[in-house]
């Protein structure tokens, strides 16, 4: 990591949402000067543009990625192509004898195609750059970190190579929690203090709770008082108890281990059959109690009872015996507030500010290129096609004019 990644004296534009980078964007100047030689102009253009496009890529690697051919498209009149096959355009070409379609004239002032803005199109295929363009990370370096740490999947499989070249149709996905952290606002002092207090309380509560030993055997009185349970659930609990005995007790003989494993196999066979009665489960329960008694393990099983909420959903709130009546607008606002609080709650344990809100200075960089289809609700995107140049538009996002990119193209073209 460079010491001055966002320098204010020597301006370098980076692929980042940092506030210093936004400030440098507002005061960027052309690096080209009339006092420089042509070689110096090309080198200055290359140095300035490479700080933004793929600054994590080594120069030798980028020289291998560079392609002298630039992708572009020419818009054509689809109605004219549907009516004719285009053969009449060859008649008298250049002499004014060719006929234009009805109602069509040669458009005046056609926008020029910025071919030179497509110099760095190969870098847009990289996985880390695509994650940054899809607004899943606040910088390409953070996107690279997400990939290396295993938070990114491509076509459903985890990929840890940030330089992977995407192909048209590839879908990549980032873990939503990472995206919320990357694009969310930072915590202030009060929120950080609340998070530290919550972690301290959780740590102290863990230290106060004594460790409980595995509870296996049930007292006979409790067994008699318990209500009849589902045989399937009883068998499953017996199987888990047998497994816990095998894991927790290391000083038992081989014969007793064989008996416990035989009991586990019998429970599995019983579970595979259809059970309508509790006689089988009772015999298996007695068998497990006998096995555990031979191992000199004593304990009592605790049963947890769930309490149901008896309050009906249609009950109306009352104050002093009177029903609260709210207007329709206030009821709608209350419903929206409750939904928002449920979807975006306050959680001090998160590393970002909650309720979640976008980070500062994000709006200046919040755009999605045409060659990506992004679904922000599930934090996934599809690489539709390679970026192309069209009249008046180069699909590779760049803060530099075509003149700077043209000099950069000539620098690398000479070195091929």
């Amino acid at each position: 990591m460079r010491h001055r990644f966002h320098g204010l004296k020597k301006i370098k534009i980076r692929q980042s949402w940092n506030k210093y980078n936004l400030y440098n964007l507002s005061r960027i100047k052309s690096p080209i000067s009339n006092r420089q030689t042509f070689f110096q102009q090309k080198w200055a253009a290359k140095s300035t543009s490479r700080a933004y496009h793929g600054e994590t890529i080594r120069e030798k690697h980028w020289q291998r990625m560079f392609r002298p051919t630039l992708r572009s498209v020419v818009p054509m009149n689809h109605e004219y192509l549907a009516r004719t096959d285009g053969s009449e355009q060859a008649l008298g070409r250049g002499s004014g004898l060719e006929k234009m379609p009805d109602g069509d004239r040669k458009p005046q002032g056609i926008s020029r195609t910025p071919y030179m803005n497509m110099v760095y199109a190969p870098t847009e295929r990289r996985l880390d750059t695509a994650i940054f363009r899809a607004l899943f990370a606040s910088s390409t370096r953070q996107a690279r970190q997400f990939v290396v740490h295993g938070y990114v999947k491509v076509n459903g499989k985890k990929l840890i190579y940030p330089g992977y070249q995407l192909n048209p149709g590839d879908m990549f996905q980032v873990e939503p929690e990472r995206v919320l952290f990357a694009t969310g606002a930072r915590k202030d002092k009060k929120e950080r203090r609340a998070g530290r207090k919550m972690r301290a309380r959780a740590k102290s509560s863990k230290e106060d709770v004594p460790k409980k030993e595995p509870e296996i055997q049930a007292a006979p009185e409790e067994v008699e008082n318990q209500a009849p349970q589902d045989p399937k659930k009883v068998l499953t609990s017996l199987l888990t108890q047998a497994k816990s005995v095998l894991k927790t007790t290391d000083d038992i003989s081989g014969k007793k281990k064989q008996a416990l494993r035989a009991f586990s196999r019998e429970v599995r066979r019983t579970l595979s059959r259809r059970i309508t009665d509790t006689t089988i489960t009772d015999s298996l329960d007695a068998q497990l109690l006998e096995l555990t008694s031979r191992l000199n393990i004593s304990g009592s099983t605790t049963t947890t009872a769930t309490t149901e909420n008896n309050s009906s959903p249609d009950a109306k709130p009352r104050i002093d015996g009177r029903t609260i009546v709210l207007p329709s607008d206030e009821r709608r606002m209350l419903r929206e507030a409750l939904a928002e609080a449920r979807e975006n709650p306050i959680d001090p344990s998160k590393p970002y500010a909650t309720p979640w809100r976008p980070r500062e200075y994000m709006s200046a960089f919040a755009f999605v290129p045409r060659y990506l289809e992004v679904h922000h609700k599930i934090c996934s995107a599809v690489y539709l096609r390679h970026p192309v140049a069209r009249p008046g538009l180069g699909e590779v996002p760049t803060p530099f004019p075509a003149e700077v990119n043209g000099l950069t193209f000539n620098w690398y073209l000479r070195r091929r």
Side-chain angles (χ1 to χ4, degrees), residues 10 15 24 36 86 94 98 109 119 130 132 135-136 144 155 158 161-162 168 211 214 228 294 308 341 362 370-371 381:
K10 190 177 180 181
Q15 288 185 352
N24 288 337
Q36 297 173 336
E98 63 270 18
V119 177
F132 171 72
L135 307 181
F136 295 155
R144 185 184 183 89
N155 296 329
K158 185 172 71 173
Y161 303 105
K211 294 183 179 179
R294 291 177 185 176
E308 297 182 356
M362 178 182 172
R370 292 189 176 189
Y371 54 86

Side-chain angles (χ1 to χ4, degrees), residues 116-307:
M116 292 298 101
N117 287 349
M118 303 298 297
V119 177
Y120 291 102
T123 63
E124 301 297 315
R125 290 185 60 187
R126 288 175 57 93
L127 180 59
D128 53 358
T129 307
I131 291 172
F132 171 72
R133 298 296 188 195
L135 307 181
F136 295 155
S138 61
S139 65
T140 50
R141 291 199 171 199
Q142 190 177 48
R144 185 184 183 89
Q145 185 186 46
F146 289 168
V147 177
V148 173
H149 289 187
Y151 298 130
V152 180
K153 292 182 179 180
V154 177
N155 296 329
K157 296 182 179 180
K158 185 172 71 173
L159 195 66
I160 59 172
Y161 303 105
Y164 174 76
Q165 299 283 318
L166 293 171
N167 296 313
D170 284 349
M171 185 181 72
F172 56 93
Q173 185 175 5
V174 186
E175 285 192 9
E177 195 65 26
R178 295 294 95 194
V179 177
L180 292 174
F181 168 72
T183 60
R186 307 296 93 174
K187 284 186 174 182
D188 55 13
K189 291 183 179 180
K190 185 177 179 181
E191 292 172 335
R192 287 195 295 268
R193 191 182 302 112
R196 287 194 298 267
K197 289 181 179 178
M198 189 197 68
R199 288 191 295 270
R201 286 195 301 268
K203 186 178 179 180
S204 62
S205 62
K206 285 183 180 178
E207 292 176 354
D208 295 340
V209 175
K211 294 183 179 179
K212 294 183 179 180
E213 296 190 2
E215 300 170 350
I216 302 168
Q217 188 177 359
E221 296 180 358
E222 294 182 0
V223 173
E224 293 177 0
N225 296 331
Q226 285 179 359
Q229 299 179 3
D230 186 15
K232 288 279 186 182
K233 293 182 180 179
V234 174
L235 285 175
T236 307
S237 64
L238 292 176
L239 185 60
T240 55
Q241 290 177 17
K243 289 181 179 179
S244 66
V245 170
L246 286 172
K247 288 182 181 179
T248 54
T249 55
D250 298 328
D251 55 345
I252 59 177
S253 63
K255 290 186 178 180
K256 294 178 180 179
K257 286 185 178 180
Q258 289 179 0
L260 281 173
R261 292 193 184 101
F263 171 77
S264 301
R265 287 194 296 270
E266 187 175 355
V267 171
R268 291 194 192 96
R269 284 195 298 268
T270 308
L271 280 171
S272 63
R273 299 196 301 268
R274 187 174 180 179
I275 304 172
T276 57
D277 184 26
T278 58
T279 56
I280 300 175
T281 59
D282 292 338
S283 62
L284 288 173
D285 196 359
Q287 186 178 352
L288 180 61
L289 287 174
E290 182 181 359
L291 286 172
T292 52
S293 63
R294 291 177 185 176
L295 298 176
N296 296 324
I297 300 175
S298 62
S300 61
T301 57
T302 58
T303 59
T304 58
T306 59
T307 59

